[in-house]
């Protein structure tokens, strides 16, 4: 259908945010057609007019993440976010959805400089207000209505949580910012990444994606795809104040790490005033240049690093395991052969050490290795784990075999029991059916009796 | 007396609107601090109750009403009555009921009468309203929702009547045989119409003199007429 005015797309610039590269990971979860909006730059200037084209009365602006929209077609993201129209149960069909969507958008585009309210939209549409509201919210979030250049910057990218088993409302989750400003973690005042309200008593921090939620948003489940309740840890605002690391403390921390390597107890002692966990957490959060200093793998001692290169290489990092992230990054920087050689050398030395301890220890070698393994893993040096892991693997495989056999046996008995249960159920059903039939017969008998009575009455009255 | 019982006794169903979607009509008329808010819409009772609050908040925000409206709106969306009926049974016989429309929406007046099959649980008042507006070329988009709402209200009333009549039957101790007669006799003029209409004596085609009754009448008012009518309604306390 011909549109009244041309539609121009406003594309946000595609720069990668400074803090975390993890937002990029969201794209594989959506369709490849860039339905994932790009996160805004964290240093957006305060005057919007200097960056975006002026609002033109004849041109409708649509954000770039909504370029899938077309009048006649229904996109897969629409069916994902509004499933009620697309499953077969209710009579609400895709054509009904299209009718709602097109009428709402038409209504908005008649006067694009003015925002339409939900009440106006639903007044004009035939249908139940709940579903109309959901369609309206969906269009609102994706910038297809009520979207103008001045409001563009206040509506950053949208990610909706698809794993919302905790929330009972079928509505869309409110949009969440993908990249909270990196400054936020350094100031003592915490703002929620979702509803932008000041966090008062407690807030919930996710270290994976470095986002902060106020208690309300956390409870309502307003977080992004891929996160669940367990990924957040509770942070009291009262001890936020002392959570900011001063320069001195950071220096102490780094010194301690250089001296003591992976013994976090000693590091914590050295820093003073910080628990082990805090030290580890802060160390992990430090920018990559510093993490260099304590790492045994790298042979090069570059003091600085090429920022462009680091940007390109950060996607390799698997952020869930910070140590692996370190080693991946460093090995990438150093080059493949060098990293290989270093790893090989480390493994060789480890095996030599192990042999000596094994010959010395005798019987208890395995246990000691296991203990070493746990020590080492708690200290977090990934390369020494390899040999110990091999030992542990063999043992675990044996155990697994045993468990498998047991499981098979239990499964067989379960199946048998289920058979018996099914049979019982079947019999019960048949019983019910028989009962129903009997009742029906009875009622028919009654009807027959009535008919007979009527007949006899008539006969007598005639 | 012919025994109609054998033909139309059906197992009782749980209470619901006899339409494809179980939506209930809601009409609001609240006055707070001198501001008057009148509205009518359909609601899906299976939405969680948090929807009521959200809807109320949005409406207050969109229409810039005073915040005193919020609790009033929440209360008025009376789902309590629906829930009280929800578990009950209702009898649905072979009922075809006449539905009458007599509405004024902004500048449009529409009057119509038609028959509606209560047994058809796939019926859809919304679709009927949409088609009617399209066929009659009604330009005002607010007429459609008003029509579907009027239909739903009447269906709702009838459904409630069915529930109460079913309840009375159960309390009635005259035994089962008598009980089966009741839904038939109580099924107002509509069911008997059905037998009369479709019996072998008359034809299915409507009689000429009834044609005018069943035609939709559409009227467009001028501004003065609208004002006059509104003033009259205010005076009569609508």
């Amino acid at each position: 259908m011909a549109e009244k005015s041309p539609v121009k797309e406003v594309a946000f610039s595609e720069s990668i945010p400074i803090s975390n590269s993890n937002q990029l990971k969201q794209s594989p979860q959506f369709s490849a057609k860039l339905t994932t909006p790009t996160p805004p730059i964290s240093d957006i200037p305060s005057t919007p007019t200097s960056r975006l084209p002026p609002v033109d009365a004849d041109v409708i602006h649509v954000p770039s993440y909504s370029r899938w929209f077309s009048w006649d077609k229904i996109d897969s993201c629409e069916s994902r976010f509004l499933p009620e129209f697309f499953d077969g149960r209710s009579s609400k069909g895709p054509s009904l959805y299209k009718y709602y969507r097109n009428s709402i958008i038409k209504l908005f585009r008649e006067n694009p400089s003015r925002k339409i309210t939900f009440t106006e939209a639903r007044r004009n549409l035939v249908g139940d207000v709940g579903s109309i509201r959901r369609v309206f919210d969906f269009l609102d979030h994706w910038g297809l209505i009520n979207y103008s250049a001045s409001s563009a910057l206040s509506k950053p990218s949208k990610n909706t949580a698809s794993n919302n088993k905790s929330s009972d409302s079928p509505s869309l989750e409110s949009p969440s910012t993908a990249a909270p400003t990196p400054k936020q973690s350094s100031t003592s005042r915490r703002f929620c990444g979702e509803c932008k309200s000041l966090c008062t008593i407690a807030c919930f921090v996710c270290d994976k994606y470095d986002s902060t939620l106020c208690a309300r948003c956390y409870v309502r489940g307003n977080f992004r795809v891929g996160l669940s309740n367990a990924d957040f840890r509770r942070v009291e605002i009262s001890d936020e104040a002392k959570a900011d690391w001063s320069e001195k403390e950071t220096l102490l921390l780094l010194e301690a790490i250089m001296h003591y390597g992976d013994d976090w107890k000693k590091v914590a002692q050295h820093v003073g005033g910080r628990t082990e966990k805090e030290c580890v957490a802060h160390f992990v959060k430090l920018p990559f240049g510093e993490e260099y200093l304590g790492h045994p793998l790298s042979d090069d001692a570059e003091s600085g690093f090429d920022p462009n290169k680091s940007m390109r290489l950060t996607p390799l990092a698997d952020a869930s395991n910070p140590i692996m992230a370190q080693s991946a990054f460093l090995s990438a920087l150093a080059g493949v052969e060098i990293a290989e050689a270093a790893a090989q050398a480390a493994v060789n030395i480890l095996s030599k050490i192990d042999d000596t301890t094994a010959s010395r220890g005798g019987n208890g070698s395995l246990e000691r290795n296991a203990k070493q393994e746990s020590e080492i893993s708690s200290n977090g040096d990934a390369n020494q784990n390899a040999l110990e892991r091999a030992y542990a693997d063999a043992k675990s495989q044996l155990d697994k075999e045993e468990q498998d056999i047991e499981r098979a046996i239990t499964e067989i008995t379960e199946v048998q029991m289920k058979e018996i249960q099914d049979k019982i159920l079947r019999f019960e059903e048949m019983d019910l059916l028989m009962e129903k039939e009997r009742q029906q017969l009875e009622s028919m008998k009654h009807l027959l009796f009535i008919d007979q009575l009527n007949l006899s009455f008539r006969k007598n009255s005639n | 007396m012919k025994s109609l019982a054998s033909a139309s006794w059906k197992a009782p169903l749980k209470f619901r609107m006899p339409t494809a979607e179980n939506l209930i009509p809601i009409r609001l008329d609240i006055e707070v601090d001198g501001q008057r808010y009148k509205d009518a819409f359909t609601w899906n009772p299976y939405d969680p109750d948090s929807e009521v609050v959200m809807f109320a908040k949005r409406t207050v925000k969109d229409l810039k009403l005073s915040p005193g409206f919020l609790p009033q709106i929440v209360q008025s969306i009376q789902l309590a009555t629906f829930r009280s009926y929800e578990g009950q049974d209702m009898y649905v016989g072979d009922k075809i009921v006449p539905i009458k429309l007599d509405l004024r929406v902004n500048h449009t007046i529409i009057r119509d009468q038609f028959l509606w099959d209560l047994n058809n649980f796939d019926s859809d008042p919304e679709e009927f309203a949409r088609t009617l507006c399209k066929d009659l070329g009604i330009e005002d988009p607010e007429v459609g929702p008003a029509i579907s709402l009027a239909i739903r209200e009447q269906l709702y009333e009838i459904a409630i009547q069915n529930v109460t009549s079913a309840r009375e039957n159960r309390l009635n101790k005259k035994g089962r045989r008598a009980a089966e007669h009741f839904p038939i006799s109580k099924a107002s003029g509509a069911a008997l119409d059905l037998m009369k209409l479709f019996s072998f004596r008359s034809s299915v085609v409507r009689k000429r003199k009834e044609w005018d009754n069943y035609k939709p009448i559409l009227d467009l008012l001028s501004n003065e007429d609208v004002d006059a009518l509104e003033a009259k309604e205010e005076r009569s306390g609508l």
Side-chain angles (χ1 to χ4, degrees):
Chain A
M1 104 162 238
E3 299 169 354
K4 280 197 288 188
S5 34
V7 177
K8 184 155 75 161
E9 286 176 3
V10 172
F12 285 113
S13 46
E14 304 253 340
S15 68
I16 304 176
I18 308 172
S19 50
N20 262 334
S21 61
N22 298 318
Q23 281 79 18
L24 289 180
K25 287 205 182 249
Q26 317 249 329
S27 27
Q29 291 170 347
F30 294 93
S31 68
K33 241 176 34 159
L34 222 207
T35 51
T36 313
T38 58
I41 323 175
S42 49
D43 54 344
I44 291 173
S46 53
T47 57
T49 51
S50 56
R51 287 194 64 241
L52 290 175
V55 177
D56 201 349
D58 287 342
V59 177
I60 310 255
H61 293 273
V62 169
S64 62
Y65 42 77
S66 295
R67 59 171 89 107
W68 46 262
F69 170 69
S70 92
W71 288 105
D72 299 321
K73 294 200 290 248
I74 295 180
D75 192 69
S76 58
C77 70
E78 302 181 86
S79 52
R80 223 192 351 257
F81 289 133
L82 296 167
E84 58 183 324
F85 294 104
F86 299 101
D87 56 17
R89 340 173 254 112
S90 63
S91 66
K92 295 195 269 230
S95 53
L96 184 66
Y97 165 72
K98 230 201 288 187
Y99 160 69
Y100 287 159
R101 177 192 76 180
N102 290 357
S103 6
I104 296 182
I105 296 187
K106 240 183 281 182
L107 187 65
F108 169 67
R109 289 192 180 176
E110 281 169 15
N111 195 350
S113 51
R114 197 180 73 89
K115 291 189 197 286
I116 58 170
T117 59
F118 163 65
T119 312
E120 292 171 36
R122 68 118 169 122
R123 283 230 169 108
N124 291 346
L125 289 179
V126 183
D128 90 282
V129 292
S131 352
I132 298 183
R133 185 190 65 79
R134 285 189 275 276
V135 177
F136 185 88
D137 279 342
F138 170 77
L139 296 174
D140 207 15
H141 289 170
W142 284 84
L144 289 164
I145 55 176
N146 290 347
Y147 181 81
S148 52
S150 56
S151 69
L153 297 171
S154 60
K155 285 176 149 283
S157 54
K158 303 162 197 2
N159 291 312
T160 56
S162 57
N163 61 342
N164 254 326
K165 301 194 189 82
S166 52
S167 102
D168 53 358
S169 90
S171 59
L172 280 179
E173 302 305 320
S174 52
S176 65
T177 49
T181 58
K183 286 201 206 96
Q184 181 187 331
S185 42
S186 58
T187 62
S188 52
R189 301 178 63 201
R190 291 299 197 113
F191 281 92
C192 169
E194 308 269 341
C195 59
K196 293 283 195 271
S197 59
L198 181 61
C199 298
T200 48
I201 307 171
C203 64
F204 288 86
V205 172
C206 172
D207 292 312
K208 264 197 198 178
Y209 295 107
D210 195 22
S211 66
T212 312
L213 294 184
C214 70
R216 208 172 297 140
C217 290
Y218 174 69
V219 164
R220 274 172 43 198
N222 271 351
F223 26 82
R224 294 202 308 242
V225 191
L227 294 182
S228 65
N229 281 2
D231 288 322
F232 286 86
R233 62 179 171 84
R234 190 192 162 95
V235 170
E236 302 286 336
I237 298 294
S238 48
D239 42 41
E240 269 300 290
K242 61 180 173 106
D244 298 335
W245 285 68
S246 65
E247 296 266 336
K248 225 169 139 197
E249 285 182 316
T250 325
L251 260 177
L252 281 174
L253 174 69
L254 294 173
E255 256 183 35
I257 292 179
M258 273 213 316
H259 284 298
Y260 302 118
D262 290 321
D263 192 350
W264 291 102
K265 233 193 241 168
K266 296 217 184 99
V267 171
Q269 269 178 10
H270 187 107
V271 172
R274 300 280 180 180
T275 66
E276 286 178 43
K277 264 197 202 166
E278 283 184 337
C279 295
V280 179
H282 186 69
F283 177 61
V284 161
K285 282 203 206 121
L286 288 174
F288 276 134
E290 334 245 2
E291 272 157 6
Y292 243 148
L293 296 171
H295 200 90
L297 246 197
S298 83
D299 297 323
D300 340 321
E302 301 174 15
S303 49
F305 54 96
D306 188 4
N308 285 338
K309 216 173 162 196
S310 75
M311 292 301 183
R312 256 190 293 125
L313 294 172
T314 44
L316 289 175
D318 173 18
S320 56
N321 187 345
I323 306 304
M324 288 305 292
Q326 282 182 50
S327 34
F329 167 69
L330 288 167
S331 60
L333 265 189
V336 180
E337 302 92 5
I338 301 179
E340 233 183 272
Q344 195 61 35
V347 170
N348 286 342
I349 296 186
L350 271 178
S351 60
K352 262 198 246 162
I353 295 178
D354 257 341
D355 285 346
T356 52
T357 57
S359 63
R360 252 190 270 141
N363 288 340
S365 64
L366 257 183
E367 293 162 31
R368 215 173 302 142
N369 279 342
K371 236 200 291 170
Q372 266 188 343
E373 178 185 4
S374 57
E375 259 189 54
I376 289 168
S377 61
S378 75
N379 287 337
D381 191 342
N383 284 320
Q384 289 180 351
N385 274 344
L387 271 178
E388 274 72 25
R389 250 189 249 132
Y391 278 116
D393 273 343
K395 253 179 82 175
S396 64
Q397 274 185 13
L398 276 173
D399 289 331
K400 240 189 268 170
E401 292 280 343
E402 280 187 43
Q403 282 178 17
D404 277 341
I405 297 178
E406 279 180 47
R407 217 179 294 144
I409 296 179
T410 50
E411 271 177 40
I412 293 177
T413 46
E414 271 186 39
V415 166
Q416 296 279 20
M417 296 218 355
K418 257 193 228 154
E419 250 192 73
I420 298 178
Q421 268 185 9
D422 278 342
K423 280 194 194 160
I424 293 180
L425 272 177
R426 199 86 51 78
F427 281 130
E428 282 184 28
E429 277 175 37
M430 290 206 19
D431 250 336
L432 262 178
L433 281 176
M434 298 278 295
E435 180 65 33
K436 273 197 200 153
E437 274 191 47
R438 198 181 60 78
Q439 283 183 356
Q440 276 185 356
L441 271 176
E442 285 230 29
S443 62
M444 285 180 48
K445 260 181 25 188
H446 283 131
L447 291 176
L448 190 61
F449 183 55
I450 292 175
D451 285 341
Q452 283 177 342
L453 271 182
N454 284 337
L455 202 57
S456 58
F457 276 147
R458 287 231 190 101
K459 264 201 230 160
N460 289 346
S461 59
N462 283 352
Chain B
M1 170 172 86
K2 269 209 293 198
S3 155
L4 303 170
S6 50
S8 40
W9 187 78
K10 283 202 171 62
L13 313 154
K14 290 294 165 201
F15 174 77
R16 53 161 293 167
M17 290 281 287
T19 55
E21 289 187 31
N22 214 353
L23 306 175
I24 48 177
I26 305 216
R27 206 173 265 282
L28 302 176
D29 186 357
I30 314 175
E31 180 139 8
V32 165
D33 297 338
Q35 272 179 322
R36 193 143 187 241
Y37 166 62
K38 271 186 88 155
D39 204 352
F41 47 85
T42 40
W43 186 266
N44 184 351
Y46 295 129
D47 275 346
D49 285 334
S50 54
E51 284 273 336
V52 179
V53 179
M54 283 179 65
F55 174 78
K57 280 197 197 147
R58 273 209 92 158
T59 314
V60 166
K61 194 175 77 161
D62 290 346
L63 298 175
K64 300 196 185 20
L65 304 169
S66 80
F69 271 96
L70 194 68
Q72 296 269 12
I73 296 181
V74 173
Q75 275 175 15
S76 307
I77 300 192
Q78 264 304 351
L79 300 178
T81 40
F82 176 78
R83 304 231 183 277
S84 68
Y85 282 118
E86 202 166 0
Q88 320 263 352
D89 302 332
M90 68 175 186
Y91 280 115
V92 186
D94 265 345
K95 275 173 67 168
I96 294 194
V97 293
I99 303 257
K100 296 194 179 56
L101 295 179
D102 186 1
L103 315 163
R104 182 187 73 78
V105 180
N106 296 344
H107 290 259
T108 317
I109 289 191
I110 177 153
R111 265 192 280 273
D112 197 0
Q113 183 185 23
F114 44 86
L115 300 174
W116 193 276
D117 181 4
L118 276 186
N119 261 348
N120 179 11
F121 283 10
D122 284 331
S123 59
D124 195 352
E126 275 78 33
E127 199 181 322
F128 177 85
R130 276 197 291 273
T131 320
L132 185 64
C133 290
K134 206 164 62 144
D135 290 344
L136 294 178
I138 298 181
E139 287 168 1
D140 189 352
E142 295 192 23
V143 179
I147 294 179
S148 76
L149 195 86
I151 300 176
R152 275 199 188 270
E153 279 184 328
Q154 296 181 42
L155 291 177
Y156 193 58
E157 284 301 318
I158 295 177
I160 290 188
Q161 278 173 19
N162 270 343
V163 170
T164 49
S165 72
R167 219 188 291 162
E168 285 172 21
N169 290 344
R170 265 204 301 262
L171 299 176
N172 212 329
K173 295 219 185 8
K174 283 197 190 152
R176 276 228 246 147
R177 292 170 233 144
E180 274 142 25
H181 280 284
F182 269 95
I184 310 310
S185 59
K186 270 212 176 168
S188 60
L192 298 180
D193 272 349
L194 170 64
M195 300 311 291
K196 246 198 307 183
L197 279 178
F198 299 143
S199 69
F200 60 91
R201 264 179 290 129
S202 65
S203 72
V204 190
V205 181
R206 206 170 261 150
K207 299 199 212 352
R208 211 170 251 272
K209 54 186 164 136
E210 294 189 16
W211 282 5
D212 289 328
N213 281 350
Y214 286 92
K215 224 172 25 178
I217 301 176
L218 187 62
D219 233 344
L220 281 176
L221 302 174
S222 65
N223 281 343
E224 302 92 17
D225 292 335
V226 173
D227 292 336
L229 272 176
E230 280 186 353
K232 218 192 301 174
E233 281 170 15
E234 297 261 322
R235 261 181 281 133
S236 63
L238 256 177

